[in-house]
Amino acid sequence: MEEAHVCTTIPQDLVRRLGAEAHSSSKATKFTEAYLKNCIQQPTRLDVKNIVTHKAVILGYSRPKKDKTKRNSKKAKGLSARQKRTMKVFRIKPEHQRYELFLPLHKLWGQYIIDLCGGLKPTSNPQFVQQKLLKADFHGAIITVVRSKCPSYVGTTGILIQEFKHVFKIITKEDKVKVIPKKNSVFSVEIEGFVSHIYGNKFELRSSERSAKKFKVKGTIDL
Amino acid sequence: MAHHLKDKEAYQRLNYLYQAAHCVIAQNPDNVELARFYCFTQKTIARRLVLRQDPSVKRTLCKRCCSLLIPGVTATTRQRRKHKKTRFTVVRCLSCGQTKTLLNDPDHRLWTDRPEAQLEQHKQPGEEAK
C-alpha cells in the first residue's frame, strides 16, 4: 500500500496549493540518476554510470572453507611422539612379565642365529660369526653382564626383551624386568657354546639403526 | 645368490622380528606392547635400508601404531559394501582404531602375484650376473 502511495502522482488541488509540480516519468529517472551520482562516493577510477545502470550489488562473500577432516581421514598418519607417550605404546604391563612366556622367543632366536651364521660348527671362523652378529637382532637372546663400572649390575642374567638407545631391558628368572644401561658395561651372549662379548659403549644406538650403520675401529675400551 | 648377500642379513632380521612378534602374541594375546615394539623395529629397519616388504606382511601391520593385526585377537574384520556392488574387507585395529579397507574382488590381483612380476624378478639376477 505504502509503495503505491509513493508512486502516485500528486493530486491536482495539492499542486495548486503547494506550488509544487509533479515530474514526468522521464524527468524523474533523470533526477534519480543525478541524485544517485551525487550520493555514491566517487571512486574516481570506476565508471559511476556503469555501476548505476548495471546495479550489480556485491554483498559480503566468503569462500567456503576447505573440509579439513576429510583430508585427514584419507591419509593415515602415524602417531606423534606425544601420543605414543600418553598411550604407553611400548610399555610392558607387569602381568605380562613372566619368564616362562619368553622361553619360546629365546628358542626362536637361537634358530635365527644358527640360520644367520649358516650353521655353527667348531670349525667356523669366529671373526665371520662376529661380523654377522654386529648386524643381527638381539631380542630374545640370553645375555649376562660380565663387567660393568657399577658392580651391582655384574652377574645379572636374563632374556633381552627390549633394546633402546641407551638401555637394555632384561627379564630375569625371578620374573623381574631389569633396566641395564649400555654405557660402561660388557655383555656376553651365548649361542650353543659360542660366547660373544658385546661392548655396550659401542652399542649405544637404536637397534634399528644398527643394521644400517657401519662400525668403525675407534679407540679402546678399558673396563 | 651372490648379489643378494648384503641385504640377506637384513631380510633375515626382518623375518625374525616378524616371527618374534607372532611368537609373543601366541604366548600371551594381551601382550600387544611387545609385539608392537618388534613390528616397529621391523618397520624402521625396512625404512632405513630401503627394503620392500611384501603386501601380505604390510597388510597385517597397523599403519598407525605398528601393532600386529590378527583378526579376532588384535583386530576386527568386517565385510562392508559400498555403492551396492563393490565389497570391502574392513580391518580395524583394536588398540588405536585405525582402519584398513581392502577390496574384495576375485579378479583383482596384486602386482607381486602376477606372472609378469615374477618374470621380471627372474630376469634381474641374470642381468646382474652378466
Side-chain angles (χ1 to χ4, degrees):
Chain A
M1 283 297 285
E2 301 235 316
E3 234 176 317
H5 277 302
V6 171
C7 289
T8 48
T9 50
I10 305 167
Q12 278 296 314
D13 51 327
L14 264 179
V15 169
R16 228 170 283 150
R17 209 184 297 167
L18 291 172
E21 205 177 320
H23 290 294
S24 64
S25 62
S26 63
K27 246 185 173 177
T29 49
K30 259 182 194 170
F31 169 75
T32 46
E33 235 168 67
Y35 178 72
L36 281 174
K37 221 181 248 181
N38 281 339
C39 276
I40 292 169
Q41 278 188 345
Q42 300 261 339
T44 43
R45 263 172 254 154
L46 287 171
D47 192 3
V48 180
K49 208 174 183 183
N50 221 12
I51 293 173
V52 174
T53 49
H54 283 99
K55 292 176 189 168
V57 178
I58 297 172
L59 298 171
Y61 172 78
S62 63
R63 215 168 270 164
K65 276 171 191 169
K66 276 177 192 170
D67 202 359
K68 275 182 183 174
T69 53
K70 209 175 186 182
R71 191 174 38 172
N72 279 357
S73 65
K74 262 189 184 173
K75 200 175 184 186
K77 273 185 183 172
L79 294 166
S80 68
R82 180 176 290 170
Q83 280 170 312
K84 273 182 198 166
R85 230 170 291 136
T86 50
M87 277 173 73
K88 299 179 181 173
V89 216
F90 299 136
R91 202 156 304 167
I92 297 154
K93 286 172 201 147
E95 64 260 29
H96 302 321
Q97 298 172 357
R98 290 216 309 280
Y99 186 74
E100 74 258 35
L101 286 180
F102 292 97
L103 281 172
L105 187 71
H106 175 63
K107 215 177 264 174
L108 192 73
W109 184 78
Q111 287 170 5
Y112 157 66
I113 287 296
I114 287 166
D115 186 37
L116 184 71
C117 304
L120 276 172
K121 290 159 224 156
T123 52
S124 57
N125 188 4
Q127 239 174 4
F128 170 76
V129 174
Q130 276 179 339
Q131 200 76 41
K132 292 267 184 187
L133 281 181
L134 269 183
K135 300 276 168 87
D137 201 278
F138 285 104
H139 291 126
I142 289 185
I143 64 172
T144 317
V145 184
V146 185
R147 268 176 282 167
S148 176
K149 256 196 180 166
C150 175
S152 62
Y153 285 127
V154 178
T156 32
T157 316
I159 298 177
L160 176 66
I161 49 173
Q162 273 180 320
E163 185 183 348
F164 295 102
K165 191 170 181 184
H166 297 294
V167 133
F168 279 131
K169 268 195 183 174
I170 283 175
I171 187 157
T172 58
K173 274 185 182 164
E174 294 88 48
D175 296 348
K176 271 184 187 162
V177 170
K178 292 204 169 169
V179 179
I180 295 167
K182 290 180 189 177
K183 193 147 197 175
N184 297 328
S185 44
V186 182
F187 305 91
S188 79
V189 180
E190 209 208 326
I191 317 144
E192 298 214 347
F194 184 89
V195 179
S196 167
H197 288 269
I198 299 170
Y199 288 85
N201 274 3
K202 298 281 167 193
F203 255 57
E204 278 194 281
L205 281 171
R206 257 176 222 118
S207 60
S208 52
E209 273 160 41
R210 187 149 42 79
S211 62
K213 203 216 171 197
K214 273 184 188 167
F215 283 90
K216 283 168 189 164
V217 183
K218 204 164 76 179
T220 52
I221 309 135
D222 12 285
L223 265 175
Chain B
M1 299 285 271
H3 56 279
H4 247 300
L5 209 75
K6 213 199 157 213
D7 277 350
K8 200 187 160 195
E9 292 164 26
Y11 275 116
Q12 270 173 332
R13 195 173 172 192
L14 293 181
N15 184 17
Y16 167 69
L17 282 169
Y18 190 62
Q19 282 181 44
H22 273 284
C23 177
V24 166
I25 286 278
Q27 288 303 307
N28 188 350
D30 296 329
N31 197 358
V32 195
E33 286 85 1
L34 198 59
R36 187 187 285 146
F37 181 78
Y38 292 151
C39 290
F40 179 72
T41 346
Q42 182 195 353
K43 199 178 167 190
T44 36
I45 289 169
R47 197 167 58 204
R48 290 283 302 213
L49 293 173
V50 201
L51 302 176
R52 280 189 186 180
Q53 294 198 299
D54 198 69
S56 59
V57 175
K58 282 194 284 183
R59 283 177 172 195
T60 53
L61 301 179
C62 177
K63 217 173 178 181
R64 187 143 172 245
C65 67
C66 301
S67 55
L68 261 186
L69 299 175
I70 299 168
V73 183
T74 55
T76 56
T77 316
R78 297 284 179 273
Q79 299 293 322
R80 290 268 157 75
R81 227 190 280 184
K82 212 182 194 181
H83 308 305
K84 285 189 179 173
K85 273 196 175 175
T86 44
R87 289 185 172 84
F88 293 97
T89 310
V90 179
V91 183
R92 187 183 202 97
C93 175
L94 286 181
S95 48
C96 70
Q98 179 76 30
T99 52
K100 249 180 214 301
T101 319
L102 308 169
L103 182 72
N104 280 358
D105 184 3
D107 297 329
H108 181 255
R109 269 186 168 184
L110 293 176
W111 170 250
T112 45
D113 297 337
R114 282 188 204 168
E116 298 108 273
Q118 297 297 322
L119 254 178
E120 218 164 80
Q121 273 183 0
H122 285 301
K123 251 183 209 171
Q124 272 184 348
E127 282 169 1
E128 275 173 45
K130 279 169 197 171

